[in-house]
Amino acid sequence: MSDPVQMMNKSNSVIKPSNPKTKKWIDIFDKLRKNKSAMVGAALIIFLLLVAIFGPFFSPYSPNTQDMLNKLQPPSSDHWFGTDNFGRDIFSRIIHGTWITLFVGFSSVALGATVGTLLGIISGYYGGRLDSIIMRCMDVLLAFPGILLALAIVSILGGSLVNVIIAIAISSIPIFARITRGSTLSVKKLEYIDAMKALGASDRRIIFKHIFPNITSPIIVQATLYIATAVLSASGLSFLGLGAQPPTPEWGAMLSDGRNFLYNAPHVAFFPGIAIVVAVLAFNMFGDGLRDAFDPKSKE
């Protein structure tokens, strides 16, 4: 007969308490999975990523190959989305433009979120005069609408995709800084932060090991939602001729080229416009779902 003590030790070695952080992310995923609009947005984002990565290998034509004999052709079996005013295949150009659009959106938000989060944490944690200086600078940037601020920066730096990324990133910094500062002020007041200070933990350790992991939720949500804004801003700047330069197959630039043919060849502007709408809608839907999933007060 087995020893009861050995049986108890064996059962205790098998049954382990669940990790609170792991359980939190599982709950968030369950909420997100039950949100139909968020799942649709996630499916569209995955589809766009797959097109951006693998699409260029399967595009029927080169995006910049001109065929003046077949310019402004309507959609057909040879050209699914028709051709533009230079005879270029619009379907191939949209496929190649997917990578450009997503790259601008992700990289500009990543840059802006990194700088804004760092400034927000420093401002909220240290407070005092440093907090006042940082927040007043953020207030100056917030005084300008995002697209106008990006437009002014690109006008100064010159029209290119790199400058568009820098401009959109700068315009997003104050948004992330304010969100991070507010979250940092809330976490800073918790008792375990005071306990870490009493134990002699350095400010760097407290900030990056104890504060930052607890304020990632609003940053992730804002970053997802702001990608949609970045896509719109990049397309708008390219539409005005300040973003991607010809013959780059960027959706905003393609939309700008098609505005002159809205009556006799509306497909030239229609399909790039639809691509922009789908991308923006996907990130907005998924971002809204993330916001609901991270909200502890939301009901399933």
Side-chain angles (χ1 to χ4, degrees):
M1 187 173 180
S2 301
D3 189 354
V5 176
Q6 293 180 354
M7 293 179 63
M8 183 178 298
N9 292 334
K10 184 178 180 180
S11 62
N12 290 336
S13 63
V14 175
I15 302 174
K16 296 180 180 180
S18 59
N19 189 335
K21 293 184 178 180
T22 303
K23 185 177 183 301
K24 172 187 175 182
W25 286 105
I26 292 176
D27 292 339
I28 290 173
F29 178 76
D30 288 339
K31 289 182 180 180
L32 194 62
R33 182 170 52 85
K34 294 176 182 179
N35 190 323
K36 295 182 180 179
S37 63
M39 288 294 97
V40 172
L44 289 175
I45 292 174
I46 293 173
F47 172 74
L48 291 173
L49 290 173
L50 293 176
V51 170
I53 296 171
F54 301 107
F57 297 104
F58 300 98
S59 61
Y61 301 94
S62 173
N64 298 323
T65 299
Q66 299 183 11
D67 183 7
M68 298 303 293
L69 296 177
N70 292 311
K71 66 178 182 179
L72 300 178
Q73 292 295 314
S76 63
S77 58
D78 293 330
H79 302 280
W80 290 0
F81 290 174
T83 59
D84 63 7
N85 54 315
F86 291 103
R88 297 173 297 192
D89 184 65
I90 295 177
F91 179 70
S92 299
R93 289 178 62 78
I94 287 179
I95 288 177
H96 284 78
T98 304
W99 181 88
I100 297 174
T101 299
L102 294 184
F103 175 75
V104 172
F106 280 104
S107 57
S108 60
V109 171
L111 180 60
T114 301
V115 177
T117 299
L118 184 60
L119 290 176
I121 290 180
I122 293 175
S123 177
Y125 182 79
Y126 290 103
R129 181 174 297 179
L130 182 61
D131 178 30
S132 299
I133 294 174
I134 293 176
M135 284 299 103
R136 295 301 76 76
C137 293
M138 297 301 103
D139 290 340
V140 171
L141 293 177
L142 283 174
F144 300 93
I147 185 62
L148 292 182
L149 179 61
L151 180 62
I153 295 172
V154 172
S155 299
I156 296 173
L157 298 178
S160 70
L161 279 178
V162 175
N163 292 338
V164 166
I165 293 173
I166 295 174
I168 297 175
I170 292 175
S171 65
S172 68
I173 287 175
I175 298 175
F176 288 100
R178 291 179 69 89
I179 291 175
T180 306
R181 175 181 178 272
S183 301
T184 302
L185 289 175
S186 299
V187 176
K188 179 184 174 181
K189 298 177 181 179
L190 299 179
E191 294 180 355
Y192 78 94
I193 299 297
D194 295 332
M196 293 302 301
K197 291 180 179 179
L199 291 174
S202 63
D203 291 342
R204 181 179 178 181
R205 178 180 178 83
I206 293 174
I207 289 174
F208 291 103
K209 189 175 179 61
H210 298 284
I211 293 181
F212 179 72
N214 289 287
I215 63 173
T216 54
S217 299
I219 298 174
I220 293 174
V221 173
Q222 183 60 41
T224 306
L225 291 171
Y226 202 84
I227 291 176
T229 303
V231 169
L232 271 180
S233 298
S235 300
L237 292 173
S238 296
F239 182 87
L240 296 174
L242 296 174
Q245 301 300 308
T248 305
E250 201 276 335
W251 293 347
M254 294 172 63
L255 188 62
S256 178
D257 293 338
R259 63 180 171 173
N260 298 320
F261 310 98
L262 290 176
Y263 292 103
N264 57 337
H267 65 276
V268 179
F270 175 77
F271 290 108
I274 288 296
I276 295 173
V277 170
V278 170
V280 172
L281 184 64
F283 284 104
N284 277 332
M285 294 173 65
F286 185 65
D288 288 338
L290 273 180
R291 181 173 54 196
D292 295 338
F294 278 114
D295 186 4
K297 299 180 181 179
S298 64
K299 298 179 180 180
E300 298 182 2

